[in-house]
Amino acid sequence: MSPKIPTVLLIEDDRDHADLIMRCFEDLRTAQIRWMEDGEKALDYLLHRGEFAEEETPDLILLDLRIPKYDGHDILQKIKDCEELLTVPRVILTTSDNPMDVRKAYQNHANSYLVKPLGLEEFRDMITELGNYWFKYNVSCR
Amino acid sequence: MSLPALYYLVLLALSALASAAIAAFCWTRRSSLGTKPFIVLMVAVSFWSFCDLMRLLSSDYSTMVFWDKMSYLGIVLVGPSWLAFCLQYTKRDGQLNRRNLALLSIVPLVTLVLVFFNEQFGLIWTDLTVVDLGQFRDLAHGHGPWFWVNVAYSYLLILTGTILLFQYALRSSSLYRNQAKVLALGAAIPLISNALYVAGVSPFYPLDMTTLAFSLTGLVAAWGMFHFKLLDIVPVAYDSVVSSMADGVVITDAKNRVADINPAALKMSGLPSQEIIGRPADLLPMFKSDLLQRSSSAIESESELEYPGPNGQRFYDLRISVLYDPQGDLLGRLWVFRDITDRRRAQDELFRAHQELERRVAERTSQLAEANLSLKEQMAELKQSKKEREKLIAELEIKNSEMERFTYTVSHDLRSPLITIKGFLGFLRQDLAKGSNLRTEADMKRIEEAVDRMDLLLRDTLALSRIGRVVDPPQYVNFGEIVKEALDQVSLQIRSSKVRIIQAESYPVVFVDRLRLAEALANLIENSIKYMGHQASPEIEIGWRKLADGTAFFVRDNGMGLDPSQHQKVFELFYKVDKKSEGTGAGLAIVKRIVEVHGGRIWIESEAGKGCSVCFTLPRSDLSAPKSA
């Protein structure tokens, strides 16, 4: 029995960036991606609301900070209030290297903060490392 | 050598009367010192004369002897009373104590005893025989030893007194000298007369002229005393008033006549000494004023007197002492004029110096107060400027942090298309290697769109940075005109979206950068159209209302509204509520910047699904407008 492929919830408003990330994951086959364009939808998904009632809790949350409706910080805050979701690693993947954003993210219990790299190779390397770390070396409680 | 007996008798009678009269006269002025012994003397002389007269008028021997003996009651008193008078007059009355008086009385008392008991002792007269003097008879005396004792004693006392008078006359001031001389000369008359009688060489022998001589003395003395008007003025404390005193001294009697004046006072008056003594005091220039009247009631007084003397205007400290005799009757006044001109001038000088000092102190105080005030003002200004600086620093800090956020935002948003471009370039390379034309086309399109988006981002960033930096001069303009310009700019969108525009009846005048504000307003109208949603009858109202800090303008729509969580975020640069909507999301950031550059503030009033109002304030034109405008 082959092991279950982990699910990554990608919260990203930029379609191009989402495509970049998803194509990297596709190539690597380390995880299957669920992409949400805005914070509202992502929270519905995480809290199994509405159309996402049947969805499973993801194994990793990969989220951008500047997204419409609820931004990355808001989502981190909501997750913090939900005990079940606290077991899901949250990784920030954003263009901002603003120290205020970094600090705020960790204060809201982000597990990692990554800045989107420039270049496909760099992107692919980063996704590879990400997959390795969280799904190969890191022990999840799930 | 014979004298008509009647003349002699008349003279005796006159002597008795004159002496009695003098005694009586002196009795009226008995308050003067020295007057009482003089009265006793005159009474004694009068009685003596009277007894002599009676003896001569007697016819029988025993009566004659009786009056002869009686006359001794007067005789024994003459010497002591004269001495007492002289002692008092020369102010030696301290010696007239009881003991001395008792001692003085010994000889007279013994004499009287021996006189009245001469028949037993025979020490006064050895024999008394009646001698016929023609028209009358008298007694001839054979003198016994005590007679001589009494004579010597009387002479001694009279001489002593007279010598005291002479001494006193010599050391007295001229004023008293004359009087003393007269008195001393008066005393000499009976002495000489009696000496002649006793020696038996009198031209009138056997008639005794002594009593007549004493009467004469009394007359002379009285004349001397009352002529010089001095018996009622006793020179009390005159010795202490040294004539060489620098202070002017004037003594006036009870009738305000000058009794004495010292050289200093004479110098003050500019008169020669003798002229003024005994004359009314108001003849003296310093008494010319109402000084005498003013001080008539004063008992003891001290005052300052300004007096134009021969040496110019001078100031005197005047002390008036009132002189009384032991009975408490007024004798006169002692006026002491102390020249205080120098002191007064020094005082005036001091006063002027003091005033000058006070003036300078006041001047300096006011200067200090001014300096203090200006210092306070400066401090207040400094405080104010410090406050302003602190405010400025705080503003700058806010601006700095805004700027930092802006920089991060811009770099974040500009990096975003770059990541896309570089990433898809990687895919493109893969596509080309694989020869997948379909993917190549799609990926190139992604790259093109990213480049366009980047161009837009750069333009908006530039537009934002120009606000506040490139400023058109503000002008007074009715807000309605700005509304019109804004509506013109978005007329195309309004027509295509079929939005109904509601305007206010009138708008206030504002003082603004007209073009920028029209741009901001157009942006808001465009936003309202963009987020109208599926509203069947879309409406946009452009209105205004008064607020405490200015006028609030608003653009209200009946579109989809905005969740309160988004009210702040929408003003962030490149923030888009709907990612799929057109534009970069810089619109509201630009509007916010324009409003803030005008000193206003901007906010959202909205709930999701209930339409949205974007409100902003502009300062009132009547406050910001220059008066001349």
Side-chain angles (χ1 to χ4, degrees), chain A residues 13-17 19-21 23-24 26-27 37 41 64-71 74 94-101 115-124, chain B residues 404-405 408-409 411-413 415-420 422-428 430-431 439 443 446 449-450 453 563 565-566 569 572-580:
Chain A
D13 68 328
D14 190 307
R15 192 167 54 94
D16 297 335
H17 290 192
D19 273 354
L20 254 171
I21 296 159
R23 276 162 80 164
C24 287
E26 270 168 31
D27 291 349
E37 268 185 291
K41 263 190 180 169
D64 193 3
L65 286 178
R66 281 172 67 97
I67 44 176
K69 293 179 186 173
Y70 295 106
D71 71 9
D74 294 335
T94 180
T95 46
S96 170
D97 57 356
N98 186 342
M100 297 250 289
D101 278 337
V115 177
K116 290 172 185 169
L118 213 54
L120 185 61
E121 283 308 309
E122 289 78 2
F123 229 103
R124 196 170 274 151
Chain B
E404 199 179 21
R405 223 170 50 233
Y408 277 116
T409 305
S411 69
H412 169 97
D413 284 285
R415 252 177 87 85
S416 207
L418 281 179
I419 288 164
T420 304
K422 198 119 191 250
F424 276 88
L425 277 173
F427 286 138
L428 197 61
Q430 283 180 1
D431 298 341
R439 279 202 108 159
D443 290 342
R446 292 284 185 97
E449 281 170 3
R453 198 162 69 247
D563 190 90
S565 68
Q566 306 292 304
K569 283 180 184 164
E572 285 176 16
L573 183 61
F574 304 137
Y575 183 84
K576 288 168 82 171
V577 177
D578 180 7
K579 197 72 189 176
K580 293 183 197 81

Side-chain angles (χ1 to χ4, degrees), chain B residues 22-85:
Chain B
I22 291 165
F25 178 68
C26 288
W27 180 257
T28 63
R29 306 190 171 209
R30 64 190 178 282
S31 61
S32 299
L33 209 62
T35 316
K36 281 171 190 166
F38 194 75
I39 291 168
V40 173
L41 177 68
M42 284 300 106
V43 167
V45 170
S46 176
F47 188 70
W48 186 359
S49 303
F50 175 71
C51 290
D52 278 2
L53 182 68
M54 292 309 289
R55 191 185 71 234
L56 292 174
L57 291 175
S58 302
S59 51
D60 63 288
Y61 173 75
S62 60
T63 311
M64 287 171 84
V65 170
F66 169 73
W67 285 116
D68 204 17
K69 285 184 178 173
M70 286 303 282
S71 71
Y72 268 82
L73 285 172
I75 289 166
V76 293
L77 279 173
V78 169
S81 64
W82 174 257
L83 181 65
F85 165 69

Side-chain angles (χ1 to χ4, degrees), chain B residues 455-582:
Chain B
D455 182 43
L456 275 176
L457 288 171
L458 285 171
R459 276 170 201 257
D460 282 349
T461 307
L462 196 68
L464 188 73
S465 78
R466 284 167 71 106
I467 301 164
R469 211 156 40 77
V470 181
V471 190
D472 296 315
Q475 52 180 293
Y476 287 97
V477 58
N478 192 289
F479 193 75
E481 285 183 38
I482 296 171
V483 173
K484 193 170 165 287
E485 279 171 32
L487 288 172
D488 282 349
Q489 283 177 37
V490 291
S491 58
L492 211 68
Q493 289 99 309
I494 291 169
R495 269 202 300 278
S496 65
S497 59
K498 297 187 177 68
V499 171
R500 190 167 78 94
I501 302 292
I502 303 163
Q503 288 195 57
E505 281 179 13
S506 65
Y507 291 100
V509 172
V510 287
F511 186 66
V512 290
D513 179 342
R514 177 185 182 144
L515 294 176
R516 283 268 179 244
L517 210 70
E519 183 190 331
L521 204 56
N523 227 317
L524 293 179
I525 296 164
E526 211 173 6
N527 248 357
S528 283
I529 293 169
K530 208 187 281 177
Y531 294 98
M532 195 54 82
H534 306 292
Q535 177 57 253
S537 50
E539 280 176 4
I540 295 174
E541 185 189 349
I542 304 162
W544 65 283
R545 63 175 190 260
K546 287 238 167 196
L547 286 184
D549 60 338
T551 309
F553 298 88
F554 59 83
V555 176
R556 181 182 298 150
D557 62 54
N558 56 352
M560 57 188 10
L562 192 64
D563 190 90
S565 68
Q566 306 292 304
H567 288 188
Q568 289 294 321
K569 283 180 184 164
V570 291
F571 293 110
E572 285 176 16
L573 183 61
F574 304 137
Y575 183 84
K576 288 168 82 171
V577 177
D578 180 7
K579 197 72 189 176
K580 293 183 197 81
S581 64
E582 284 173 25

